[in-house]
Amino acid sequence: KSWSVANGLTALSTLSFGSIYLSLIFMVLVGTILALQQISMGEKGRYNYSILKKMGVDDTAIQRLVNRELFIAFFVPCIIPVALVVVTAILANTFFGQLILMANVIPIYTMVTLAVFFIVYIAYFAVTHAIYKTIVI
């Protein structure tokens, strides 16, 4: 029985490492694509915000619009994947929770994974926000 448990844990560790590696690659890819897309739209944004300034909109309102624009561009695409991860974790815990030796391992690791995802994603957002504000304003 101990050989089966050790073998199962080895297989689970191997699959987990591959999944984590792939998810990091996709996360960096998505963050880079979103950042580049927003930065490339900076020239059009500069023109649009200069028109708003000429119409009499103050700088704080323009900065709020820039923040809202970047927030929508970055965090609205996260809603469905995060919801899917949470639902998948709940279902996996329901079906496989009894087979795993440690209690509540799936919800704990799901929260850790989401925390790492949001830390990296917020870092991409912060860098993109700083560059976009420099270009636009």
Side-chain angles (χ1 to χ4, degrees), residues 28-29 34 38 44 56 63 65 72 75 85 89 93-94 105 109 118 124 126-127 133:
V28 168
L29 183 66
L34 282 170
Q38 287 302 311
K44 182 180 178 185
Q63 289 201 6
L65 285 172
I72 289 170
F75 291 106
V85 165
N93 193 43
T94 303
V105 72
Y109 286 147
F118 279 115
Y124 267 102
V127 169
K133 270 179 58 176

Side-chain angles (χ1 to χ4, degrees), residues 49 52 57 60-71:
Y49 290 121
L52 286 174
V57 179
T60 57
I62 288 177
Q63 289 201 6
R64 275 188 265 140
L65 285 172
V66 168
N67 293 342
R68 192 173 299 148
E69 179 183 351
L70 286 176
F71 182 80

Side-chain angles (χ1 to χ4, degrees), residues 40-118:
S40 68
M41 294 294 290
E43 197 62 40
K44 182 180 178 185
R46 182 184 333 191
Y47 174 73
N48 291 338
Y49 290 121
S50 69
I51 290 175
L52 286 174
K53 275 186 180 182
K54 290 176 185 174
M55 292 174 65
V57 179
D58 62 341
D59 287 338
T60 57
I62 288 177
Q63 289 201 6
R64 275 188 265 140
L65 285 172
V66 168
N67 293 342
R68 192 173 299 148
E69 179 183 351
L70 286 176
F71 182 80
I72 289 170
F74 265 80
F75 291 106
V76 168
C78 286
I79 294 171
I80 292 175
V82 168
L84 185 63
V85 165
V86 170
V87 168
T88 303
I90 291 170
L91 291 175
N93 193 43
T94 303
F95 292 121
F96 302 117
Q98 297 86 14
L99 303 175
I100 299 174
L101 299 177
M102 195 171 118
N104 295 325
V105 72
I106 294 174
I108 292 168
Y109 286 147
T110 301
M111 293 300 135
V112 169
T113 302
L114 288 174
V116 169
F117 169 74
F118 279 115

Side-chain angles (χ1 to χ4, degrees), residues 1-17 99-102 105 109:
K1 182 177 177 180
S2 65
W3 180 82
S4 297
V5 170
N7 215 8
L9 290 175
T10 302
L12 182 62
S13 297
T14 304
L15 288 174
S16 296
F17 178 75
L99 303 175
I100 299 174
L101 299 177
M102 195 171 118
V105 72
Y109 286 147

